Amino acid sequence: DRVPATREGMPLAFQRTEGGVWIDPGEVPAYTVAALSLAPDAGGVSNPSGSLTAAPDLLENDYLRVELNRAGDITRIYDKVNGREVLVEGAVGGQFQAHEDRPINWDAWDVDIFLTDKTFLAEPAESVRVVEEGPLRATLEIKRRILNSPYTQRISLSCKSARLDFDTQIEWNERHIMLKVAFPVDVFSPTATYEIQWGNTERPTHRNTSWDWARFETCAQKWVDLSEGGYGVSVLNDCKYGHDSHDNVIRISLLRSPSMPDPLADAGQHRFAYSLFPHAGRWNEETVAQAYALNDPLIVRAQEGESTLPAATAEEEGSPAAQGPYPPSLVACDAPNVVIETVKRAEDGDGVIVRGYECRRIRGPVTVRFGFPVEAAYRANLLEATQADGDIITLATGT
């Protein structure tokens, strides 16, 4: 047998699973390409630090303890690191809620606040079983039905993460029903934070004014967060952009089923993922990083023949640091609150465009380093037009 290894042949911790293999590659720098290999199984591959436990009523790692009842409901999420109950006592986390959805106008575009007047919950689970149990990942598979729509949900914990992942496949057979998932968290805050493109915005969690009443449903991209002074919970998603946060309950809008203009809107098979991420303090760049990890995981491609990638070597002075056996980043910056969102070839073919944004409203200098020689750097506008000569950026040695 052969096992996953670094290019130099050092075995990596791995876990065989349905349809593939989970691999722990260690810390991989962003914006890099790394070669892995298959090495003879000599035995004695060390497992990653940490423990994982899986049973039909329990998922647990070094960060979270997740308890379920016989119906497949999550009745407790305990944050072991921060010593906090994540859910409100007696509440159910990740609960599917179906609402009759008949807006007064514009069937497919409007969502009215009386949506929640009629609510339906999922039936008890048909089955709950452990489908992954190993050193890297533990997963429960739950089969349930809400109204006329059967679904299968996989709830997972990884060995080195406080993120609780939900992967759902559903056959949506409803008409004029909206499906939401709710997380009633034990956090008190008058506002919730919603990510938007290259930034975020805050909305109240109360409905004290007519403006608040009108903004009960809010757009967000990869995450929404509810934080009080010393603790918070982020809810991440990979493709669902409607949210509402009322008091201490965060919800994601998952599916709708209007009949106009398309009588079969949303009907059929769907797959989507979302995650719960508790954290100390208010949200910060770790929430942003976890959301990117959910949406843009490592891409693995099989390659025939010998790789042409250079082996990791001691970096030149001033170049990005190589981490472990991997080459340095193509581009990196020294400010954790600055996200390098895009690296692309310029539309005119002359140079490389690097687009970044500051995610936490924090000012300060930023140093950007490249893993290749750079002759000059300029500020450019969104049309990729170079700004005036006075805006040339001076390059330091090795930058």
Side-chain angles (χ1 to χ4, degrees):
D1 286 346
R2 297 168 71 80
V3 298
T6 65
R7 178 174 173 162
E8 291 74 20
M10 182 183 299
L12 298 171
F14 70 96
Q15 175 183 330
R16 291 188 173 91
T17 187
E18 236 176 70
V21 177
W22 291 106
I23 300 173
D24 179 10
E27 292 292 328
V28 180
Y31 292 111
T32 191
V33 178
L36 300 181
S37 64
L38 292 174
D41 186 0
V45 178
S46 60
N47 290 333
S49 60
S51 61
L52 275 173
T53 302
D57 63 348
L58 177 69
L59 281 175
E60 186 171 8
N61 65 5
D62 290 342
Y63 301 88
L64 298 179
R65 179 181 175 89
V66 182
E67 299 177 6
L68 297 88
N69 60 20
R70 291 188 177 183
D73 295 324
I74 296 176
T75 56
R76 186 190 187 199
I77 303 175
Y78 180 66
D79 184 339
K80 297 163 68 173
V81 174
N82 296 294
R84 284 283 300 251
E85 295 288 348
V86 177
L87 301 178
V88 174
E89 184 178 359
V92 171
Q95 184 181 59
F96 272 16
Q97 300 174 352
H99 304 291
E100 187 174 33
D101 182 22
R102 297 183 181 274
I104 295 174
N105 299 303
W106 312 115
D107 198 23
W109 286 271
D110 278 8
V111 178
D112 288 335
I113 198 167
F114 54 76
L115 174 81
T116 55
D117 286 356
K118 187 177 290 187
T119 301
F120 309 91
L121 302 180
E123 298 175 7
E126 300 171 13
S127 66
V128 180
R129 66 187 184 100
V130 178
V131 293
E132 291 180 333
E133 185 176 14
L136 300 184
R137 190 171 174 91
T139 300
L140 298 182
E141 181 187 79
I142 302 173
K143 292 184 179 292
R144 302 184 74 165
R145 175 182 293 270
I146 187 164
L147 298 177
N148 303 304
S149 301
Y151 66 93
T152 300
Q153 189 162 67
R154 291 193 166 195
I155 306 175
S156 303
L157 277 178
S158 297
C159 65
K160 297 180 179 179
S161 175
R163 202 178 79 201
L164 181 63
D165 295 331
F166 298 79
D167 188 314
T168 305
Q169 297 186 60
I170 186 169
E171 181 185 325
W172 188 238
N173 299 318
E174 312 307 323
R175 296 291 85 197
H176 290 284
I177 294 292
M178 176 180 273
L179 179 65
K180 286 178 172 280
V181 61
F183 292 95
V185 297
D186 191 12
V187 174
F188 177 77
S189 176
T191 60
T193 306
Y194 300 83
E195 190 214 30
I196 58 176
Q197 187 179 34
W198 303 334
N200 55 79
T201 186
E202 293 185 351
R203 292 286 184 268
T205 57
H206 54 76
R207 296 173 185 169
N208 293 346
T209 70
S210 59
W211 284 25
D212 301 335
W213 191 268
R215 295 184 295 185
F216 66 93
E217 186 87 0
T218 301
C219 296
Q221 287 195 320
K222 295 184 289 294
W223 58 268
V224 58
D225 181 87
L226 197 62
S227 292
E228 57 189 32
Y231 194 74
V233 178
S234 301
V235 176
L236 326 172
N237 82 90
D238 73 342
C239 63
K240 301 296 179 182
Y241 309 125
H243 300 75
D244 69 89
S245 300
H246 187 209
D247 294 333
N248 63 314
V249 181
I250 305 171
R251 301 200 304 170
I252 309 175
S253 301
L254 300 175
L255 291 167
R256 294 188 71 193
S257 46
S259 58
M260 281 290 290
D262 181 0
L264 297 177
D266 276 4
Q269 296 287 338
H270 295 263
R271 182 174 182 177
F272 45 83
Y274 49 87
S275 302
L276 185 78
F277 178 61
H279 54 82
R282 298 183 62 83
W283 73 270
N284 55 29
E285 55 271 1
E286 186 61 25
T287 288
V288 178
Q290 291 291 341
Y292 271 101
L294 178 66
N295 282 265
D296 300 311
L298 286 172
I299 299 172
V300 180
R301 298 189 186 276
Q303 176 177 299
E304 297 294 335
E306 188 69 20
S307 169
T308 58
L309 289 173
T313 58
E315 64 276 7
E316 296 179 3
E317 183 180 356
S319 68
Q323 300 180 33
Y326 304 117
S329 297
L330 175 72
V331 59
C333 71
D334 64 346
N337 56 303
V338 174
V339 179
I340 297 177
E341 166 68 27
T342 305
V343 180
K344 63 182 286 289
R345 183 171 182 152
E347 292 297 311
D348 62 5
D350 183 17
V352 174
I353 300 296
V354 177
R355 183 180 298 134
Y357 72 93
E358 196 286 314
C359 70
R360 292 188 59 198
R361 303 185 183 95
I362 297 176
R363 302 188 187 196
V366 177
T367 299
V368 178
R369 298 185 181 275
F370 298 89
F372 54 90
V374 175
E375 293 183 359
Y378 300 86
R379 293 185 180 92
N381 61 25
L382 288 178
L383 297 178
E384 300 184 6
T386 301
Q387 301 300 287
D389 290 343
D391 281 336
I392 187 171
I393 300 171
T394 302
L395 295 177
T397 303
T399 301

